[in-house]
Amino acid sequence: MTAPAAEHMLALACPPDDVTAVHEFLAGVWEHEPTVSAEDRMALELAIVELTSNVIEHGSRPSGISCELRLEIGDERFQALLSDDGVAATVDTEAAGLPDDLAESGRGLALVRMVVDDLRYERVADRNRWTVRRDRH
């Protein structure tokens, strides 16, 4: 029987919060979760920071955006759920690919997909729900 996943939560209101709060949150998580390997830490940090940055940049309304991040640390996998009250995303997470070398944007979801095992998006009522899963390495 596996132990229940440890949960870590962060609430953001942007503005005034920004992606710096996510970096600080994750630094605190790693202090409390010493069994997470350096490889998994780097991959999760890239995925979560990139995803949160995209949500803040592309989903924000003129009044801002509120987000909730829940990170579950399990024995075999990690799962992050990012929920926000921004505008509905029009994105196909399965089709996210890298743009050409000269493009100035468009790499975010492709980078996330490169370092996780699963990336999902759904609109539930008036909220966006992004789910990232990564197996332990």
PDB file of all heavy atoms in Angstrom, residues 76-91:
ATOM      1  N   GLU A  76       5.267   7.531  -6.245  1.00  0.00           N
ATOM      2  CA  GLU A  76       5.571   7.122  -7.617  1.00  0.00           C
ATOM      3  C   GLU A  76       5.422   8.240  -8.638  1.00  0.00           C
ATOM      4  O   GLU A  76       5.938   8.137  -9.743  1.00  0.00           O
ATOM      5  CB  GLU A  76       4.664   5.952  -8.015  1.00  0.00           C
ATOM      6  CG  GLU A  76       4.899   4.725  -7.161  1.00  0.00           C
ATOM      7  CD  GLU A  76       3.952   3.582  -7.491  1.00  0.00           C
ATOM      8  OE1 GLU A  76       3.245   3.664  -8.519  1.00  0.00           O
ATOM      9  OE2 GLU A  76       3.913   2.622  -6.711  1.00  0.00           O
ATOM     10  N   ARG A  77       4.687   9.302  -8.281  1.00  0.00           N
ATOM     11  CA  ARG A  77       4.451  10.370  -9.262  1.00  0.00           C
ATOM     12  C   ARG A  77       4.161  11.682  -8.561  1.00  0.00           C
ATOM     13  O   ARG A  77       3.893  11.734  -7.369  1.00  0.00           O
ATOM     14  CB  ARG A  77       3.321  10.000 -10.212  1.00  0.00           C
ATOM     15  CG  ARG A  77       1.938   9.995  -9.620  1.00  0.00           C
ATOM     16  CD  ARG A  77       0.873   9.475 -10.572  1.00  0.00           C
ATOM     17  NE  ARG A  77       1.234   8.220 -11.200  1.00  0.00           N
ATOM     18  CZ  ARG A  77       1.017   7.013 -10.653  1.00  0.00           C
ATOM     19  NH1 ARG A  77       0.440   6.917  -9.483  1.00  0.00           N
ATOM     20  NH2 ARG A  77       1.364   5.920 -11.281  1.00  0.00           N
ATOM     21  N   PHE A  78       4.185  12.719  -9.377  1.00  0.00           N
ATOM     22  CA  PHE A  78       3.857  14.079  -8.950  1.00  0.00           C
ATOM     23  C   PHE A  78       2.670  14.547  -9.782  1.00  0.00           C
ATOM     24  O   PHE A  78       2.572  14.215 -10.962  1.00  0.00           O
ATOM     25  CB  PHE A  78       5.028  15.035  -9.219  1.00  0.00           C
ATOM     26  CG  PHE A  78       6.339  14.527  -8.692  1.00  0.00           C
ATOM     27  CD1 PHE A  78       7.219  13.848  -9.520  1.00  0.00           C
ATOM     28  CD2 PHE A  78       6.692  14.731  -7.371  1.00  0.00           C
ATOM     29  CE1 PHE A  78       8.428  13.381  -9.045  1.00  0.00           C
ATOM     30  CE2 PHE A  78       7.902  14.265  -6.880  1.00  0.00           C
ATOM     31  CZ  PHE A  78       8.770  13.582  -7.724  1.00  0.00           C
ATOM     32  N   GLN A  79       1.814  15.330  -9.164  1.00  0.00           N
ATOM     33  CA  GLN A  79       0.718  15.930  -9.919  1.00  0.00           C
ATOM     34  C   GLN A  79       0.545  17.370  -9.464  1.00  0.00           C
ATOM     35  O   GLN A  79       0.528  17.647  -8.267  1.00  0.00           O
ATOM     36  CB  GLN A  79      -0.591  15.164  -9.713  1.00  0.00           C
ATOM     37  CG  GLN A  79      -1.729  15.763 -10.527  1.00  0.00           C
ATOM     38  CD  GLN A  79      -2.919  14.852 -10.578  1.00  0.00           C
ATOM     39  OE1 GLN A  79      -2.885  13.822 -11.227  1.00  0.00           O
ATOM     40  NE2 GLN A  79      -3.981  15.233  -9.897  1.00  0.00           N
ATOM     41  N   ALA A  80       0.444  18.254 -10.438  1.00  0.00           N
ATOM     42  CA  ALA A  80       0.182  19.663 -10.155  1.00  0.00           C
ATOM     43  C   ALA A  80      -1.133  20.030 -10.809  1.00  0.00           C
ATOM     44  O   ALA A  80      -1.373  19.693 -11.973  1.00  0.00           O
ATOM     45  CB  ALA A  80       1.309  20.542 -10.699  1.00  0.00           C
ATOM     46  N   LEU A  81      -1.988  20.696 -10.059  1.00  0.00           N
ATOM     47  CA  LEU A  81      -3.253  21.197 -10.572  1.00  0.00           C
ATOM     48  C   LEU A  81      -3.228  22.711 -10.430  1.00  0.00           C
ATOM     49  O   LEU A  81      -3.088  23.231  -9.328  1.00  0.00           O
ATOM     50  CB  LEU A  81      -4.431  20.618  -9.807  1.00  0.00           C
ATOM     51  CG  LEU A  81      -5.802  21.203 -10.161  1.00  0.00           C
ATOM     52  CD1 LEU A  81      -6.172  20.913 -11.604  1.00  0.00           C
ATOM     53  CD2 LEU A  81      -6.872  20.667  -9.229  1.00  0.00           C
ATOM     54  N   LEU A  82      -3.331  23.392 -11.562  1.00  0.00           N
ATOM     55  CA  LEU A  82      -3.386  24.854 -11.584  1.00  0.00           C
ATOM     56  C   LEU A  82      -4.789  25.246 -12.040  1.00  0.00           C
ATOM     57  O   LEU A  82      -5.211  24.880 -13.125  1.00  0.00           O
ATOM     58  CB  LEU A  82      -2.334  25.425 -12.532  1.00  0.00           C
ATOM     59  CG  LEU A  82      -2.284  26.936 -12.658  1.00  0.00           C
ATOM     60  CD1 LEU A  82      -1.916  27.590 -11.329  1.00  0.00           C
ATOM     61  CD2 LEU A  82      -1.293  27.348 -13.737  1.00  0.00           C
ATOM     62  N   SER A  83      -5.491  25.954 -11.192  1.00  0.00           N
ATOM     63  CA  SER A  83      -6.856  26.386 -11.482  1.00  0.00           C
ATOM     64  C   SER A  83      -6.864  27.910 -11.489  1.00  0.00           C
ATOM     65  O   SER A  83      -6.239  28.536 -10.632  1.00  0.00           O
ATOM     66  CB  SER A  83      -7.782  25.844 -10.384  1.00  0.00           C
ATOM     67  OG  SER A  83      -9.069  26.370 -10.499  1.00  0.00           O
ATOM     68  N   ASP A  84      -7.573  28.504 -12.466  1.00  0.00           N
ATOM     69  CA  ASP A  84      -7.610  29.964 -12.534  1.00  0.00           C
ATOM     70  C   ASP A  84      -8.972  30.453 -12.999  1.00  0.00           C
ATOM     71  O   ASP A  84      -9.744  29.699 -13.583  1.00  0.00           O
ATOM     72  CB  ASP A  84      -6.495  30.503 -13.449  1.00  0.00           C
ATOM     73  CG  ASP A  84      -6.707  30.147 -14.911  1.00  0.00           C
ATOM     74  OD1 ASP A  84      -7.544  30.828 -15.563  1.00  0.00           O
ATOM     75  OD2 ASP A  84      -6.058  29.220 -15.408  1.00  0.00           O
ATOM     76  N   ASP A  85      -9.239  31.735 -12.717  1.00  0.00           N
ATOM     77  CA  ASP A  85     -10.516  32.337 -13.102  1.00  0.00           C
ATOM     78  C   ASP A  85     -10.381  33.228 -14.332  1.00  0.00           C
ATOM     79  O   ASP A  85     -11.182  34.121 -14.558  1.00  0.00           O
ATOM     80  CB  ASP A  85     -11.123  33.129 -11.934  1.00  0.00           C
ATOM     81  CG  ASP A  85     -10.271  34.315 -11.515  1.00  0.00           C
ATOM     82  OD1 ASP A  85      -9.175  34.536 -12.087  1.00  0.00           O
ATOM     83  OD2 ASP A  85     -10.700  35.042 -10.598  1.00  0.00           O
ATOM     84  N   GLY A  86      -9.372  32.945 -15.151  1.00  0.00           N
ATOM     85  CA  GLY A  86      -9.122  33.741 -16.348  1.00  0.00           C
ATOM     86  C   GLY A  86     -10.030  33.367 -17.500  1.00  0.00           C
ATOM     87  O   GLY A  86     -10.942  32.549 -17.367  1.00  0.00           O
ATOM     88  N   VAL A  87      -9.762  33.989 -18.642  1.00  0.00           N
ATOM     89  CA  VAL A  87     -10.538  33.699 -19.841  1.00  0.00           C
ATOM     90  C   VAL A  87     -10.272  32.257 -20.275  1.00  0.00           C
ATOM     91  O   VAL A  87      -9.208  31.695 -20.000  1.00  0.00           O
ATOM     92  CB  VAL A  87     -10.202  34.688 -20.994  1.00  0.00           C
ATOM     93  CG1 VAL A  87     -10.563  36.107 -20.601  1.00  0.00           C
ATOM     94  CG2 VAL A  87      -8.742  34.596 -21.384  1.00  0.00           C
ATOM     95  N   ALA A  88     -11.233  31.654 -20.939  1.00  0.00           N
ATOM     96  CA  ALA A  88     -11.093  30.276 -21.407  1.00  0.00           C
ATOM     97  C   ALA A  88      -9.939  30.175 -22.403  1.00  0.00           C
ATOM     98  O   ALA A  88      -9.787  31.023 -23.279  1.00  0.00           O
ATOM     99  CB  ALA A  88     -12.390  29.800 -22.043  1.00  0.00           C
ATOM    100  N   ALA A  89      -9.145  29.143 -22.252  1.00  0.00           N
ATOM    101  CA  ALA A  89      -8.028  28.920 -23.169  1.00  0.00           C
ATOM    102  C   ALA A  89      -8.544  28.228 -24.426  1.00  0.00           C
ATOM    103  O   ALA A  89      -9.465  27.413 -24.373  1.00  0.00           O
ATOM    104  CB  ALA A  89      -6.966  28.066 -22.494  1.00  0.00           C
ATOM    105  N   THR A  90      -7.956  28.577 -25.539  1.00  0.00           N
ATOM    106  CA  THR A  90      -8.268  27.895 -26.797  1.00  0.00           C
ATOM    107  C   THR A  90      -6.986  27.214 -27.245  1.00  0.00           C
ATOM    108  O   THR A  90      -6.262  27.725 -28.099  1.00  0.00           O
ATOM    109  CB  THR A  90      -8.762  28.893 -27.860  1.00  0.00           C
ATOM    110  OG1 THR A  90      -7.776  29.919 -28.008  1.00  0.00           O
ATOM    111  CG2 THR A  90     -10.078  29.516 -27.458  1.00  0.00           C
ATOM    112  N   VAL A  91      -6.697  26.082 -26.636  1.00  0.00           N
ATOM    113  CA  VAL A  91      -5.432  25.413 -26.877  1.00  0.00           C
ATOM    114  C   VAL A  91      -5.650  23.904 -26.893  1.00  0.00           C
ATOM    115  O   VAL A  91      -6.513  23.376 -26.192  1.00  0.00           O
ATOM    116  CB  VAL A  91      -4.399  25.804 -25.784  1.00  0.00           C
ATOM    117  CG1 VAL A  91      -4.833  25.311 -24.420  1.00  0.00           C
ATOM    118  CG2 VAL A  91      -3.026  25.309 -26.120  1.00  0.00           C
TER     119      VAL A  91
END
